[in-house]
Every structure is written in C-alpha cells, then in structure tokens.
Amino acid sequence: MIRIPHVACLFLLSFILSSSIAAGTAPPSDTVIFGGDRVYPPFEWDDKGTPTGFHIDLENALAEIGKAKAEHRLDDWPVTTHALETGDVDVVPMLISDKRREKFLFTSAFYFMDHAIYAEQGTTKIPVLADLSGHTVAVEQTSYAQNKLETGYPDVHLILTGNTLEALQAVAQHKADYALLTTPTAEHLIRDQHLAVRRVSPPLWPQGYAFAVRKDRPDLLAWLQNSLNQAIVNGRYEAVYNAWRDRLEPTQTSSSQILKTSALIAGPLLLLAALGFGWSFTLRRRVAARTAELQDELKARKDMQAQLRHFADHDTHTGLPEYHHFIELGDKVLAEASSLPSPSKEMVVFKLAETETIIRTFGYSTGEGIIEEFAERLKGGHFDVTSYFGRGIFAVLCDQSTMNEAYDALSEQLETCGLGLYPQLICGIAHWPGHGTSCADLVKHAETALAVSIDRNHDCTTYDPTMEPDQTDLRIVAEFRKSGGTDLQAALQPQIDLKTGSIVGAEALVRWHHEELGFISPAKFIPLLEKAGLITKVTARMVDEAARISASLRRRGIDCTISVNVAVYDILETELPSIIKAALDRHGALASDLKLELTETSVAEDSEGIKIVLKELGTAGIYTSIDDFGTGYSSLSYLSSFPIRELKVDQMFVRDMVTCERNHSIVSSTIAMAHALGLSVVAEGAEDQETLTSLNALGCNRVQGYVISKPLSEDDFNAFLTKHQGTFSSTVH
Ligand code: C2E
Ligand code: MG
Ligand code: MG
C-alpha cells in the first residue's frame, strides 16, 4: 500500500503552503485526460467500468478547482505510460524518479511512498538497516532499494528478483533472510497471497508521488500545480485523503494487524514516535504559525464586516437596533418562546412625551442627550430586544409583566444637562401571540395603540382590532417603509412674477407612482407618512432633487428658485439645516436657489421651536414661505415675529375670487396685510386669465396655477422654459 507517513504529510503541507499560489491559471483545454493503472487499488482501479480510487477523486477535485472536466483512462501500466509519451493521455500520477524526469515534467509530490524491511513471520529481531550487513536481502531488480543498499551497505548479500512478489516469496521460502520493498505493494501482496511474511521495520526512505506530464506541456504542468496548491490550501486535498485514509493507511484500521505488528515493533516505534514527535512538533508549529496568520487575517476581515453590519443595524446615537434589525432579533425571540408551554410576550412602542418641547426649548443636542440617556436606561432593563425608531419613539419586546415592573425605574429623573426632567412615557401595547404572530405585526399594532394614546391623551393603550386604520393607509405606509422613498420624484409647477411675466420659480411637488398601487396623491400619503414619522425621508429626497435641479438650471444661466414643502417634524426633529447644506454641496447649488414652504397649521402648533430653526436657515440664506395661508390659525402677531419672506394664499380663496366676493376680499386683505408686514405674496390655484388679471390689480407679487401650467416632469419643465423664453405672457400686465 502507498501510505503517507504523518510526518511526511505535514512536511508536504508546510512545503506547499509556503510555496506561492498563482491567483488562477486557465485550463489548457476543456477536458484533461488522466491516465492510470487499471488494477492499482486503492489509488486507481476499474470498478466494473467506473474508474475509482484516491487518484480518481483527487484528479476530479483538481479539475474542478481548475475549471476543467476530468476524463479517466485506466489500462495496464505499460500501456498507460506509453499513452502519456504519445500524448493519448495528458497526465499520469507516478513515483518520481531520475529516469522518469528525463521524459516527463512532475508537479510537486502530493504524497509519499515508503519502503520497509520484511521477514518471515515469527521473526522477533527488529533490524535497523545496519543489521542487514552479512544477511541475504531480496530486492526488486533496478529498484530504488537495490540502489540504496548497493551504495550504502556493501556487506549485504542481495538477491535480485523480477518483482515484489518474487522477493517476498524468497523470504517465505527461506532463500532470503529479509526483503526490502515498497510497503504499499508488498503489504497488498502479503494479504492477497496469504504469505507468511511480515513487516519488521518502521517506514524507510519516503519517496514523492506526483503527477507527470510530457515535457512539451509546461502549460498543463502550471495548471496542475496551481490546482494542486489550491486543493491543499483550501482543504480539498485533505478531504479526499481522509475519505481514503483507511485504505491508504491500512495498518491503522486493521486491528489484528496493529496488535500483531505493534507487538513486534513497539519499542523502536516508540523511539521513532518520539523523534517523529519532535520533527512533527516543529513542522506543526510552522503550519500552526501560518494557519494563525491566516486566521488573524480572516478574523480582522470578519471583525470589520461585523463592525459595518453593526453600523448598518444600529442607530448611531443610541446604539440600539434600528427597525429592521429589531424585527430580525424580535422574530428570533418569538421563535424561541413559541416552544414554551404557555408563551406570552408583549410589544410596547412608546414615545417620550416631551421630546419636541425639550428640543424646542433647549435645542437639538439637549434633546439628543436625553434620548441617549434614556436609551442607556433601556439597555439595563430586562427586555428581550429594544429599538429606537427616531422622533423620541422606542420599542421593546419583553415578557408581559416586564414593562410594568420597569415603568417606575424608566420614569426616574434624567440627569442630562442637569435639567432634572422626568420622562413621561406614552405607550401603545400589543400582546403576543394574541395581537400578531410576527414581530413586524406586533410593532404595527402597538404603533396603532400608541397613536390612539396620543389622540386620546392617554398614558397607555392596549391594541384592539377596532382601532385599525384603513387597510389601504396601512399598505401605503408599509410600501413606503419598504422603498424608503427611493421611488419618489419631483414635479415642478412654475411660478411667474405678475409684474414682468418672468418665470421666477417653481414648486417641487412630490410624485409617487407605485408599481401596484398606481399614482398616489401627496394629499393622501403625506399626512399618513407624517403620522408614521416617515416624512423626513420625503423631505430629504425632495431637498436633494430641488438642489440638483436648481443647480442644473443655474449652470444654464436660468435664475429659478425651487420651493420645497416641509413639515413641522422636519423643522423640529431632524437636522434640516445640515440636510439642506449637504444637498447644496452635493450638487453645487446656492442657498438662494432653494425656498421652503411651511404649512401654516404646523407653524401654529410649534411656533417657538420653528422660529429658532427658521432663523438659522434664514442666516444661511434660505428663505421660508408660509403655505396655504388662510386655512390654518394665522395670527398677525406671530407672523410679524417670524423670519419669513412670503405668504402663499391658499387656492381655496384664489380659485373663485373673481366670482366670489367674500374670497376676493380675503385675498385682497391678505395681500394688503402681507405687504404691510414687508412680505411678498404668492397666489396659488389661479385657473384662468380673469383671476390672473384680478390678482395683478390687487398687487399680488407672484402666481402659481393651472392657468400658467400644471405641475410638470423635469423634462417638460425644461421644455416649458424654452418655449416661453423665461417670460410666460405679457397679458398679465
Ligand atoms: P401645496 O403645497 O399647497 O401644493 C399645491 C397643490 O395645489 C398641488 O397639489 C398642486 O398641484 C395644486 N395646484 C396648484 N395649482 C392649482 C390649480 O390651479 N388648480 C388646482 N385645482 N390645483 C392646483 P398636489 O401636488 O396634489 O399637492 C398637494 C399637497 O401635498 C401640497 O399642497 C402639499 O401640502 C403636499 N405636498 C406635495 N408635495 C409635498 C412634499 O414634497 N412634501 C410635503 N411635506 N408635502 C407635499
Ligand atoms: Mg406647497
Ligand atoms: Mg399650498
């Protein structure tokens, strides 16, 4: 049998590991033909028409690694070697010898064959090579053993035989004291022929076995060597070897042989093992050092990936999982809990009630500090999973009593900035499994309950299916969550200066064409997204689009301010100024190219906080217009103290101002009041020429309406500008 001694195997591995591995070598042809002996188990043999054996598996592995197909042709050994010489086969695995090197090129050895001394059964003396002196020793003619003994041990009397079997028979028939043979073949024959001969020495002279190719095929050799190196480094060689280990190393599996042989050779083997251990230890250390290096690299990569994953999965301020990660973790918790006898959990989504007031009063960073301190408090609680959804809203998944027990501790005074605030929690609760089986369902239902708590001014509400909002509304919010606003587009509605007719600006109106739900009106989805706390994504997208479009217009020499609608959340709960600045920088737009439109109802709710942010924006050169003026809670007093530039009269007054006396006087007095405050006025919703003329007569500064144009796609807006050469119509004069 051919056998890889353990030490030799380690040597082989360390050698090949230390050699360089080509990044990839193209296969020399689609199919590589491997030759072999048809009766050479366990390496290669013809098993009822199917090539089988260690070599066959290894060759298949190499071909796969090298992205080629393997074909196997097994025949008598002389036929096989001849086929290699003539080119009928491409590769043949064989023992490396000087003589063969004259004809063939060899890969590095992929395993080793050793020799051993054989003697008659019952021989107790265990010879070392020197002990052979004076004895008759049978060896194969022209063999490696013959050469070694002739050159190193001239006192040995050699009996030369035609093959391995004859050498063994010489021992069995007392014609020779010993035989010195290659172990794989000898042991195979001893077993097969029931010879009363046994191995009596440890393994000697390991010799390399390798793949041979013709000398004119260095391309094939390079491909083979590369595949072999990769197989050894990526563990494929080891897997193939291990699959055949029992047959490649039969002495380790045949217990009777082990017992008998070990009785004979235990002593020297122990000695050898000790020596081998030393050698093996050194080599193991080399292999271990290289393995450790590779492991360190792998670990560093894994650490970096884990870090990136962590950033993606966690909120940067609080370090708590973001919504998507929270859902993943929560589903795992629920799956584990479902095997319990009476599983019960609850999802609590809650809001820190004062968030807006705190931000308004003490500034954004104080608000952030409070959220962070509260998040730390949550991390110390006995919750299964926690999350921060933004806008002062947190979620926890826990056992049903846990939140109740933690409530007092969570509501304790906060230390941030020494403000001595007591957090007030407004909660919505959904029970599991009663109110939903998945974590996402539970969050949805707990959010519904939270909305009810806020609406009804309650501290805590438990979900009830009757609270469910319209199914389409839920779908819209869910679909938006999925897309994150990436499928939103801006439509542009031109605004003209009534005095000159010049096209001086455009309002960017969000458009959402959903592939299944179709066109969804902003009047429908904007309020839903505001409630769900998702409006900031719309704003960020529209600010970016507006900056991009205005920068491109400026590059063409067109002066056209783009207005973006903003909601109160944008002003109070995001860093709107930095979002705007980033968009301007990204596209090379100017601050004066953008304008904000704020709905008056929002202003009325949060006038103080809004004032601070609007001032900051104004200082940066971005001006604000009050949208839909007249429909909210307008108050002259706050308007006069606001850093705003413009009022936008709502279309409900403008639309029929020509025919409706009451609306005409509302528009008229609004324009007069605005001018008295130093504000300019835009009228929106002008649908005909008479309205345009009437607005001009009242001194309205600008107009936006269907009489000029409906909202247009970017391309159509550009075409509109070109068509009107920047001036809409002189008929407005
Ligand atoms: P808005 O900001 O007051 O926008 C004006 C709305 O009036 C637009 O409807 C526009 O198409 C429509 N309009 C303009 N001129 C005329 C006219 O002559 N006749 C008629 N019948 N309608 C006219 P749209 O695009 O459906 O927007 C509705 C509302 O949705 C907007 O009212 C605004 O409150 C909100 N919205 C639109 N885009 C955004 C956005 O990007 N962010 C936010 N937060 N809200 C937006
Ligand atoms: Mg608007
Ligand atoms: Mg409006």
Side-chain angles (χ1 to χ4, degrees):
M1 294 292 140
I2 294 177
R3 176 175 177 273
I4 299 185
H6 187 57
V7 175
C9 190
L10 278 169
F11 171 73
L12 171 72
L13 276 173
S14 72
F15 164 70
I16 294 184
L17 271 172
S18 62
S19 68
S20 65
I21 297 169
T25 308
S29 56
D30 283 352
T31 304
V32 177
I33 303 169
F34 289 88
D37 193 328
R38 71 186 163 84
V39 194
Y40 199 46
F43 303 101
E44 63 220 13
W45 78 96
D46 189 330
D47 188 6
K48 296 178 190 134
T50 308
T52 308
F54 170 59
H55 286 168
I56 305 297
D57 286 355
L58 182 59
E59 288 159 4
N60 284 338
L62 299 191
E64 192 189 316
I65 290 168
K67 299 191 177 25
K69 283 197 206 87
E71 186 184 320
H72 306 281
R73 287 193 199 155
L74 303 184
D75 213 319
D76 290 335
W77 184 244
V79 179
T80 295
T81 48
H82 181 68
L84 182 63
E85 284 173 40
T86 58
D88 287 342
V89 299
D90 298 317
V91 185
V92 175
M94 60 175 73
L95 201 61
I96 302 168
S97 75
D98 289 344
K99 201 163 175 207
R100 284 170 178 164
R101 278 198 192 278
E102 288 167 15
K103 286 186 195 164
F104 307 122
L105 299 171
F106 284 88
T107 61
S108 55
F110 59 85
Y111 62 90
F112 288 77
M113 178 190 284
D114 50 48
H115 289 68
I117 303 170
Y118 292 84
E120 194 186 353
Q121 229 167 27
T123 304
T124 49
K125 177 151 175 59
I126 299 159
V128 291
L129 281 170
D131 293 340
L132 299 180
S133 293
H135 288 280
T136 50
V137 178
V139 289
E140 265 186 280
Q141 199 162 11
T142 69
S143 67
Y144 183 82
Q146 179 193 353
N147 187 261
K148 286 286 263 186
L149 289 179
E150 277 176 352
T151 51
Y153 304 89
D155 296 350
V156 175
H157 308 297
L158 292 179
I159 296 181
L160 300 178
T161 65
N163 54 45
T164 307
L165 181 60
E166 285 173 19
L168 289 167
Q169 283 169 337
V171 174
Q173 294 159 10
H174 310 291
K175 290 180 191 159
D177 300 324
Y178 300 105
L180 215 167
L181 300 164
T182 53
T183 53
T185 322
E187 286 179 23
H188 185 79
L189 291 170
I190 290 168
R191 247 205 337 263
D192 251 26
Q193 305 287 322
H194 306 290
L195 298 172
V197 178
R198 288 294 174 263
R199 191 171 84 177
V200 290
S201 78
L204 302 168
W205 311 321
Q207 273 179 278
Y209 216 86
F211 289 106
V213 301
R214 277 209 331 272
K215 282 214 147 174
D216 60 354
R217 298 300 308 274
D219 57 327
L220 181 59
L221 185 76
W223 173 82
L224 262 177
Q225 185 66 61
N226 188 55
S227 299
L228 182 60
N229 291 354
Q230 286 194 47
I232 289 171
V233 170
N234 71 18
R236 202 58 199 277
Y237 174 87
E238 201 183 349
V240 173
Y241 184 82
N242 282 340
W244 289 95
R245 180 184 285 274
D246 286 352
R247 301 184 70 172
L248 293 167
E249 301 176 22
T251 50
Q252 291 186 9
T253 54
S254 163
S255 54
S256 64
Q257 273 186 341
I258 286 170
L259 286 173
K260 286 174 194 170
T261 310
S262 62
L264 289 172
I265 58 175
L269 275 186
L270 277 175
L271 182 63
L272 196 81
L275 290 170
F277 179 75
W279 185 18
S280 161
F281 180 72
T282 314
L283 291 167
R284 267 172 197 275
R285 279 184 56 183
R286 283 177 55 195
V287 173
R290 178 71 185 126
T291 307
E293 270 173 44
L294 291 171
Q295 277 171 347
D296 283 352
E297 261 171 49
L298 200 68
K299 189 173 171 303
R301 273 189 201 190
K302 277 189 179 162
D303 286 352
M304 200 196 294
Q305 276 170 355
Q307 217 173 14
L308 288 174
R309 183 76 218 253
H310 185 86
F311 283 137
D313 286 345
H314 293 81
D315 173 63
T316 32
H317 289 311
T318 61
L320 292 175
E322 296 254 21
Y323 173 81
H324 291 286
H325 191 44
F326 175 67
I327 297 294
E328 264 171 36
L329 298 173
D331 279 335
K332 278 188 197 146
V333 170
L334 296 179
E336 277 167 26
S338 54
S339 59
L340 299 173
S342 52
S344 75
K345 295 271 177 202
E346 68 183 12
M347 175 68 69
V348 187
V349 176
F350 57 95
K351 184 174 170 67
L352 287 188
E354 307 93 338
T355 318
E356 292 95 358
T357 324
I358 293 164
I359 291 173
R360 194 168 60 232
T361 319
F362 301 106
Y364 192 79
S365 61
T366 308
E368 233 175 32
I370 282 169
I371 300 281
E372 281 165 21
E373 188 185 343
F374 189 80
E376 286 307 311
R377 200 170 272 191
L378 274 184
K379 286 177 197 166
H382 299 286
F383 306 112
D384 292 315
V385 204
T386 53
S387 177
Y388 182 55
F389 290 176
R391 298 169 294 113
I393 296 179
F394 292 85
V396 299
L397 178 66
C398 55
D399 288 338
Q400 280 195 11
S401 52
T402 313
M403 187 62 183
N404 226 351
E405 288 159 11
Y407 196 86
D408 286 346
L410 289 177
S411 313
E412 274 173 21
Q413 201 174 27
L414 292 164
E415 287 163 11
T416 303
C417 301
L419 294 174
L421 295 168
Y422 288 88
Q424 188 202 339
L425 313 190
I426 307 171
C427 305
I429 298 177
H431 289 151
W432 177 79
H435 294 149
T437 48
S438 72
C439 192
D441 276 353
L442 291 174
V443 168
K444 214 164 57 184
H445 293 157
E447 276 178 339
T448 305
L450 172 62
V452 172
S453 282
I454 293 169
D455 270 4
R456 298 183 192 164
N457 218 0
H458 292 170
D459 282 345
C460 191
T461 309
T462 299
Y463 173 76
D464 177 320
T466 59
M467 295 170 182
E468 275 306 340
D470 185 290
Q471 284 306 307
T472 325
D473 292 358
L474 288 178
R475 172 94 196 270
I476 287 172
V477 175
E479 291 297 321
F480 186 85
R481 261 195 217 284
K482 249 195 256 167
S483 71
T486 49
D487 46 357
L488 298 179
Q489 264 146 9
L492 300 167
Q493 190 174 24
Q495 294 178 354
I496 60 157
D497 183 307
L498 266 174
K499 287 266 171 296
T500 62
S502 309
I503 300 160
V504 288
E507 179 176 9
L509 293 155
V510 67
R511 292 293 177 260
W512 188 11
H513 294 270
H514 187 270
E515 54 182 16
E516 283 166 24
L517 299 171
F519 174 78
I520 312 170
S521 160
K524 171 83 178 161
F525 73 82
I526 292 287
L528 292 174
L529 298 184
E530 278 191 16
K531 265 196 187 164
L534 295 167
I535 194 67
T536 51
K537 291 208 159 120
V538 177
T539 307
R541 170 95 180 152
M542 296 304 282
V543 163
D544 190 71
E545 280 291 90
R548 181 182 64 75
I549 293 166
S550 60
S552 113
L553 290 173
R554 179 167 289 285
R555 278 195 291 275
R556 289 162 48 206
I558 301 168
D559 213 357
C560 182
T561 308
I562 309 283
S563 312
V564 178
N565 291 283
V566 291
V568 67
Y569 286 121
D570 297 314
I571 300 287
L572 288 177
E573 297 196 23
T574 68
E575 291 174 282
L576 188 63
S578 51
I579 289 175
I580 294 175
K581 185 175 179 318
L584 294 175
D585 290 348
R586 205 161 28 246
H587 298 291
L590 301 180
S592 57
D593 292 336
L594 284 196
K595 199 193 313 170
L596 302 180
E597 289 189 13
L598 199 65
T599 52
E600 194 203 354
T601 43
S602 308
V603 177
E605 281 167 20
D606 294 282
S607 57
E608 279 309 304
I610 292 280
K611 209 192 307 187
I612 297 166
V613 182
L614 293 189
K615 262 194 185 141
E616 188 184 342
L617 287 166
T619 310
I622 295 155
Y623 299 110
T624 309
S625 164
I626 298 293
D627 203 353
D628 302 336
F629 188 81
T631 58
Y633 309 93
S634 49
S635 135
L636 276 177
S637 62
Y638 81 58
L639 275 186
S640 61
S641 65
F642 258 43
I644 53 168
R645 283 284 180 96
E646 182 180 277
L647 286 191
K648 224 177 159 184
V649 188
D650 194 78
Q651 55 179 293
M652 75 183 267
F653 308 114
V654 176
R655 203 182 303 133
D656 57 356
M657 63 178 281
V658 177
T659 51
C660 175
E661 187 57 37
R662 187 175 161 274
N663 285 347
H664 187 276
S665 58
I666 289 174
V667 175
S668 159
S669 54
T670 303
I671 293 171
M673 178 199 74
H675 285 169
L677 291 170
L679 307 173
S680 78
V681 180
V682 183
E684 78 179 342
E687 296 194 348
D688 49 40
Q689 190 60 46
E690 288 77 28
T691 309
L692 223 52
T693 310
S694 175
L695 286 167
N696 195 27
L698 292 174
C700 182
N701 305 89
R702 277 184 286 138
V703 176
Q704 172 185 343
Y706 289 179
V707 66
I708 298 157
S709 170
K710 289 196 168 180
L712 301 167
S713 68
E714 190 181 350
D715 286 347
D716 291 346
F717 180 70
N718 283 329
F720 179 87
L721 285 175
T722 311
K723 182 178 166 196
H724 295 283
Q725 300 288 327
T727 302
F728 174 66
S729 161
S730 54
T731 56
V732 294
H733 292 287

